[in-house]
Amino acid sequence: MVEFLDVLKADNVLQEKVRELSNVDVLLSTATKEVKGDGKKVVAIIVTDRKSGQEKEIALDGVFVQIGLSANTKLVEELVPTNERGEIIIDASCRTQTPGIYAAGDCTTVPYKQIVIAMGEGAKAALSAFEDRIRS
C-alpha cells in the first residue's frame, strides 16, 4: 500500500487490520511515479520515497487506485472560512460563519467522508436553513 502522506488517515480499526496482514507492506511518504505494463497487464509500479528521494520498482500483478480527495470549495472561498485543507468550516447544524450560507458533505469539516453521512448532512443543512428562515 502506497501512501503519499506521512501518516495513514483511515479509521484506526482499518489501520490495525492492514498492519496485521502478512502480505501487505505499507509505504508512507511515498509518491507513485509510474505504473508499468507489458502491453497486456500491469507488471510493476515505480515509487519515490518523498523523504530520501530514493526510487524503486515494485513488481506486482495489478493496482487499485484511490486518489486523494480535496475539497472543491473555490466557488465560496471568499464567502466562508475554510481550514488548511480547503474544507468549509461548519457548526453542528451545518451553518457556516456567514449568515445564510450552509454547507454539507465532503467539502466541509464534518468527519467521516462517506456518502451516507453527506446525505444526512445535506438534510441537516436544509432543516437548519428552514429553521433559520422561519425564525427570522
Side-chain angles (χ1 to χ4, degrees), residues 58-70:
I58 303 169
L60 45 73
D61 295 320
V63 295
F64 293 94
V65 179
Q66 164 64 42
I67 296 173
L69 305 174
S70 61

Side-chain angles (χ1 to χ4, degrees), residues 92-112:
S93 299
C94 300
R95 293 177 180 94
T96 68
Q97 293 179 16
T98 306
I101 299 181
Y102 306 82
D106 293 0
C107 69
T108 70
T109 53
V110 69
Y112 312 116

Side-chain angles (χ1 to χ4, degrees), residues 28-91:
L28 300 176
S29 293
T30 304
T32 302
K33 182 178 179 182
E34 180 181 352
V35 177
K36 295 177 80 174
D38 65 6
K40 294 182 182 179
K41 65 176 186 146
V42 171
V43 297
I45 60 171
I46 298 175
V47 298
T48 304
D49 183 298
R50 293 180 48 236
K51 292 182 179 177
S52 70
Q54 182 180 0
E55 188 174 287
K56 70 177 176 178
E57 184 171 317
I58 303 169
L60 45 73
D61 295 320
V63 295
F64 293 94
V65 179
Q66 164 64 42
I67 296 173
L69 305 174
S70 61
N72 185 8
T73 57
K74 292 270 187 222
L75 178 68
V76 296
E77 69 185 359
E78 295 182 21
L79 300 173
V80 296
T82 58
N83 66 13
E84 66 281 352
R85 294 179 13 191
E87 298 168 326
I88 300 169
I89 299 169
I90 59 170
D91 67 13

